[in-house]
Amino acid sequence: MKASLFLVLPVVYASWLNNLNYLSPSKRHPQFSIEYRHLSKRDLVSFKGSVEFKHGVASGDPLPDAVILWTKVTPATETTETICVEWSIFPEHNPSRIADSGHVLTSFEVDYTVKVEARNLCSLTTYYYKFNVCNTNQTSPIGRTKTVPRTGDHVPQNLKFAVYSCSNYPAGFFNAFGNPARKDSVEYVIHLGDYIYEYKNGDFGDGTNISRIPEPNRECATLSDYRTRLAQHHTDPDLQLSHQQFPWFIIWDDHDIADNSWRAGSANHPENATAYAKYGVSYASRKANAVRAFYEYLPVRQVSLTDTLRIWRTLQIGDLVDIFFLDTRHYAREITDTYDNTEFIAAIADDQSRTLMGQRQEEWFYDGLMMSNATWKVVAQQIVFAEINITEVGYQNYTFDFDGWSGYRSNRDRVLKTLYDAKINNTIILSGDSHANWVSELTWSNNSDYDSSTGEGAIGVEFAGTAVSSPPIVPGASDLLLNFATQKIINTNSNEHLKWAELVQRGYFELEIGYDSSVATYFGLNVTEQTSSEVQTAQFSVLSGENKLQRPFGGVKAGFLRT
Ligand SMILES: [Fe+2]
């Protein structure tokens, strides 16, 4: 009798709802979430077969006292039975002192993912965590994570972030994810979007010769497609290592759903009958599928139970830095450049009504900037902010990237006006999306009241990073051609606020934030083989209160500088 009670109890006390993925992304939006009320009525038959943790572990969105923990289990055979998972988190130097723990259920309805929030943690503290199948020794790898300092507290150390964008599985190896883990060189990771790409093999990156064929090998549209693609990413050893070792902050960009998307469609998937016939789903359904899979597979906290799709959020780290994570892509973006309408978008790019973020997000962002008491304001967002004339790249007659902030100039001006009018110091914008490195000083589009040689008149800086593995902006172009174009872009008069451009390298950058200065260090690396070797391609620093890059620029080993 005792033995059978022992077997049953953990399942009885394990909770559906403590697995946040049954609410994914919000219990107030049943079209996105699981009907857990029905689930809770069904017989709790626990799966007795063997279970593997093939997708590693991950943590994310740490607060001073909490962090999201993630894993996925794989039953040896397909089953409709539930799997009970036990988790625990403990401090670095005292494994026997469990800080928080629990039992949760998972099942096929959430693709066997597990996402929980660990609470009652101490601030700025390293923790380890693990999962196991209840009452078995089937155990996950042990993950490491770290909480952030309490809001307003003095932060006793500089904080380092690895910053990423555009991780394209068939396009190359994810060395960029593994290297900071191998160096143990950062505390936290920021991913600015395009964690996955939606394409079939060969459409944008061909993994045939490196055994990296995307799964499923078709363009993602259904829930199963996006889950399968995300699950495959979690099997990559470099990505697993990064997730296992660092807490992540992630936002999405277009390819997490579909190329050059906006709030109601994308380049390949306008909301029309032809696209419906092609993909078998409407764009709205496809978007809901991708969003649900994103929440299931990434250690991201649901910001608001009443606001579908909201991933824009603020993280306050002591009194050192406030990080504003924006959604310029899927939340409220007006129509973007979908390749067939470039001239039209160019013609309306200055229209006052055009917004990347929507009124509610814009107001939250400007209020947050103006009310911030932190030394630094870091804006983690998807697309290149500075106005960069790219005519010299010679790609499809583009003059500007109208899918970036240059297609929404009045929105950019509203950001700049907020910074200038309120005299907000120490703003650093982080950008991805372009698969190239761009370092700029923030100034009005016409560069009025800005001295390019000294940086006087600028109101902040932008660090835009290249892709983890996605190809350069002109697919197939030789390094020679890309460098030739880069040199011309740097020397274009209207680009005088652009200080460094580099179009050849794949990689990432590390951002170190301290009270006196912030430093961005760029790394380039090879993606055609698994390797830990990398080159430091550039380093730029910003002194507190200066709102411009520190001169003279030095240490640049790739790309071109404007001095
Ligand atoms: Fe991308």
Side-chain angles (χ1 to χ4, degrees):
M1 185 65 190
K2 265 186 180 171
S4 71
L5 255 182
F6 184 71
L7 282 173
V8 170
L9 271 174
V11 177
V12 171
Y13 287 107
S15 163
W16 294 103
L17 297 186
N18 285 346
N19 184 351
L20 300 172
N21 282 344
Y22 286 106
L23 308 174
S24 176
S26 163
K27 64 182 173 185
R28 306 269 177 90
H29 294 88
Q31 74 272 31
F32 286 125
S33 67
I34 300 288
E35 262 298 338
Y36 61 89
R37 279 175 295 257
H38 295 177
L39 282 178
S40 61
K41 285 178 190 155
R42 91 180 188 202
D43 286 342
L44 286 179
V45 180
S46 188
F47 182 69
K48 299 291 191 304
S50 72
V51 172
E52 284 184 274
F53 290 86
K54 294 197 297 193
H55 299 84
V57 295
S59 72
D61 278 344
L63 296 173
D65 60 352
V67 66
I68 300 288
L69 306 178
W70 179 93
T71 195
K72 171 179 164 73
V73 296
T74 306
T77 52
E78 253 182 59
T79 177
T80 56
E81 295 168 350
T82 58
I83 297 174
C84 170
V85 176
E86 183 179 10
W87 61 273
S88 61
I89 185 167
F90 43 90
E92 184 173 25
H93 300 298
N94 193 354
S96 61
R97 217 205 89 215
I98 302 294
D100 198 6
S101 63
H103 296 82
V104 295
L105 296 174
T106 188
S107 63
F108 75 90
E109 284 93 343
V110 290
D111 214 17
Y112 301 104
T113 55
V114 174
K115 189 157 96 177
V116 298
E117 179 157 27
R119 297 169 195 267
N120 305 315
L121 308 180
C122 298
S123 60
L124 194 57
T125 301
T126 298
Y127 286 91
Y128 289 94
Y129 61 94
K130 64 179 181 185
F131 301 85
N132 63 281
V133 178
C134 298
N135 297 315
T136 76
N137 55 8
Q138 298 173 99
T139 307
S140 75
I142 294 178
R144 188 184 76 174
T145 191
K146 190 173 192 172
T147 52
V148 298
R150 279 195 304 256
T151 304
D153 275 9
H154 179 80
V155 180
Q157 62 178 93
N158 289 0
L159 294 179
K160 283 182 82 175
F161 299 80
V163 183
Y164 298 109
S165 58
C166 302
S167 27
N168 182 326
Y169 191 85
F173 288 96
F174 288 170
N175 302 314
F177 286 134
N179 282 358
R182 285 182 276 271
K183 294 184 290 182
D184 205 9
S185 54
V186 301
E187 272 88 25
Y188 308 101
V189 163
I190 294 174
H191 197 298
L192 300 170
D194 291 359
Y195 180 88
I196 59 165
Y197 279 71
E198 77 276 25
Y199 300 113
K200 72 176 190 297
N201 190 45
D203 278 1
F204 190 52
D206 190 331
T208 309
N209 295 331
I210 52 172
S211 298
R212 288 174 75 85
I213 307 293
E215 296 171 2
N217 191 2
R218 62 172 173 271
E219 187 169 336
C220 294
T222 68
L223 177 59
S224 169
D225 291 342
Y226 285 105
R227 282 172 163 174
T228 304
R229 187 66 55 88
L230 282 156
Q232 182 182 34
H233 278 233
H234 279 285
T235 62
D236 180 275
D238 286 284
L239 185 46
Q240 275 197 0
L241 192 62
S242 177
H243 275 308
Q244 186 176 349
Q245 197 152 321
F246 304 122
W248 276 46
F249 301 95
I250 184 164
I251 50 178
W252 51 42
D253 197 10
D254 53 341
H255 293 284
D256 295 291
I257 299 177
D259 182 35
N260 275 25
S261 36
W262 54 292
R263 70 179 179 208
S266 78
N268 293 339
H269 199 155
E271 198 67 282
N272 64 28
T274 309
Y276 186 93
K278 179 179 174 188
Y279 295 109
V281 291
S282 65
Y283 183 75
S285 298
R286 182 179 183 175
K287 184 172 179 175
N289 292 336
V291 165
R292 179 158 146 195
F294 184 92
Y295 274 102
E296 286 175 344
Y297 271 87
L298 288 163
V300 63
R301 181 182 286 103
Q302 171 71 24
V303 182
S304 164
L305 291 181
T306 57
D307 194 353
T308 318
L309 290 181
R310 177 172 168 178
I311 59 163
W312 41 278
R313 59 199 189 270
T314 317
L315 174 70
Q316 297 180 303
I317 301 185
D319 64 359
L320 179 63
V321 55
D322 285 352
I323 306 182
F324 299 90
F325 296 93
L326 308 187
D327 182 353
T328 63
R329 184 57 74 176
H330 299 299
Y331 188 73
R333 176 191 277 241
E334 301 282 336
I335 191 166
T336 191
D337 180 355
T338 49
Y339 310 121
D340 52 354
N341 63 351
T342 305
E343 283 183 20
F344 169 67
I345 299 295
I348 63 169
D350 292 305
D351 193 300
Q352 290 293 311
S353 69
R354 278 175 68 69
T355 178
L356 281 162
M357 302 159 68
Q359 186 181 356
R360 202 168 149 236
Q361 185 182 179
E362 283 199 47
E363 285 175 2
W364 157 86
F365 179 40
Y366 306 145
D367 288 349
L369 284 172
M370 287 188 289
M371 292 189 305
S372 172
N373 292 317
T375 300
W376 297 93
K377 282 67 119 170
V378 168
V379 183
Q381 55 89 50
Q382 292 81 9
I383 49 179
V384 176
F385 184 84
E387 178 91 335
I388 300 174
N389 185 321
I390 55 170
T391 307
E392 298 296 347
V393 171
Y395 181 54
Q396 295 186 349
N397 297 322
Y398 273 51
T399 49
F400 297 96
D401 176 7
F402 293 111
D403 184 56
W405 286 82
S406 291
Y408 304 78
R409 291 202 180 96
S410 52
N411 197 157
R412 177 167 54 204
D413 285 348
R414 291 193 289 275
V415 176
L416 289 168
K417 185 169 169 33
T418 303
L419 297 176
Y420 275 118
D421 285 0
K423 296 186 172 53
I424 294 169
N425 278 327
N426 298 342
T427 299
I428 297 174
I429 295 182
L430 311 180
S431 320
D433 181 61
S434 79
H435 311 173
N437 292 308
W438 315 95
V439 171
S440 303
E441 291 176 319
L442 304 181
T443 177
W444 295 110
S445 302
N446 62 5
N447 288 335
S448 59
D449 303 324
Y450 167 69
D451 183 330
S452 170
S453 61
T454 64
E456 291 304 320
I459 194 66
V461 302
E462 176 179 23
F463 294 123
T466 189
V468 166
S469 60
S470 257
I473 45 182
V474 187
S478 68
D479 293 358
L480 194 70
L481 265 176
L482 287 170
N483 278 323
F484 186 65
T486 313
Q487 206 168 4
K488 290 176 109 176
I489 291 170
I490 274 287
N491 290 324
T492 300
N493 279 343
S494 61
N495 291 340
E496 60 179 347
H497 53 287
L498 174 65
K499 295 304 171 192
W500 181 58
E502 194 288 310
L503 272 63
V504 173
Q505 297 287 328
R506 309 301 87 205
Y508 66 102
F509 65 97
E510 293 179 354
L511 180 68
E512 178 168 1
I513 302 176
Y515 285 101
D516 298 330
S517 66
S518 287
V519 180
T521 307
Y522 282 76
F523 296 93
L525 42 75
N526 185 0
V527 298
T528 58
E529 58 181 353
Q530 270 185 292
T531 173
S532 59
S533 72
E534 60 184 20
V535 179
Q536 183 181 314
T537 51
Q539 186 173 66
F540 294 90
S541 58
V542 193
L543 300 184
S544 179
E546 294 279 295
N547 301 321
K548 64 188 180 77
L549 299 165
Q550 174 74 351
R551 287 157 171 81
F553 308 131
V556 167
K557 296 199 187 72
F560 294 89
L561 271 177
R562 185 185 187 111
T563 52

